[in-house]
Amino acid sequence: MNVLLIEDDKRISEFIIKGLEENNFTVHLAETGEIARDLLQHDTWDIILMDIMLPGIDGIQLTKLMRFKKIHTPILMLSALSDTDDKVNALDSGADDYLVKPFHFKELISRVNALTRRTKFNYVNEETLYKLGSLTINPEEHKVTENDVLIDLSPREYKLLLFLLENRNKVMSRTQILNAVWGINYDNNTNVVDVYISYLRNKIEQNHKFIHTIKGTGYMLKEEL
């Protein structure tokens, strides 16, 4: 597995590289966002581990740039910033997961494996167009249309829709959705899932109802009967 590590702190990068190589990962280090940007134009990676506070182009800017250029490589943010707002900002910019420094190395390996498994599953299905009523989702292009009209979704909204679609006609609890879509441990009292469900409904349910609330349990995606 090829890993791109974007980290300017030499002590931290040496620690991460040593641990990953001991677990049979191949790691390439970029010490600035500019170096990483150039590498991303010429090489492909299985996963990107990225610090937020980088000199020059920071992690948030680089993530937005990658997603704008349709680079869908999974990104695991590594940061000393632990506030919920910092995590939400990183995830909404297009990152797939967020790990607060300092961390246990076993958790880093677990997060990396989970993200790459999820990505491989999506790649297996990338030639498939998902359809639900008038909705069409193209995983390869990360596009969602209704009756051939493009629906503009944020990276988090798209990921939420794809997860619900992969589990259509099944009730998904808020905890299941949090773990799959946000990939971090939010406070159990958070309403972030409900907020994003509302965002998604406002965008995809102009003509038909797709997301159904299962009282006391969670949500289910299915065609309105």
Side-chain angles (χ1 to χ4, degrees), residues 47-48 50 63 66-67 73-77 94-97 115:
I47 191 168
I48 296 168
M50 186 190 308
T63 297
M66 288 175 57
R67 298 319 189 207
T73 306
I75 298 172
L76 171 55
M77 286 290 196
D96 296 277
D97 201 353
L115 284 176

Side-chain angles (χ1 to χ4, degrees), residues 5-20 27 29 49-51 53 78-80 101-103 105 108:
L5 173 63
I6 310 171
E7 172 63 69
D8 65 316
D9 188 313
K10 186 176 181 180
R11 180 181 59 85
I12 294 175
S13 63
E14 288 179 347
F15 163 72
I16 293 175
I17 290 170
K18 182 176 182 293
L20 288 174
V27 189
L29 174 65
L49 309 182
M50 186 190 308
D51 187 19
M53 295 182 289
L78 308 175
S79 177
K101 301 175 184 175
F103 49 79
F105 204 82
L108 174 64

Side-chain angles (χ1 to χ4, degrees), residues 112-129:
V112 168
N113 288 335
L115 284 176
T116 52
R117 279 197 306 269
R118 194 180 308 158
T119 303
K120 286 177 180 177
F121 173 80
N122 288 338
Y123 282 165
V124 168
N125 293 283
E126 67 180 5
E127 298 299 326
T128 302
L129 291 178

Side-chain angles (χ1 to χ4, degrees), residues 140-151:
E140 184 176 7
E141 298 181 0
H142 282 218
K143 285 185 178 180
V144 179
T145 58
E146 183 176 17
N147 293 324
D148 297 323
V149 176
L150 183 65
I151 299 175

Side-chain angles (χ1 to χ4, degrees), residues 131-134 169 209-210 212 221-225:
K131 291 184 178 293
L132 184 69
S134 57
N169 301 319
K209 184 174 180 61
F210 297 109
H212 300 260
L221 188 75
K222 66 177 182 178
E223 285 188 73
E224 186 178 31
L225 299 177

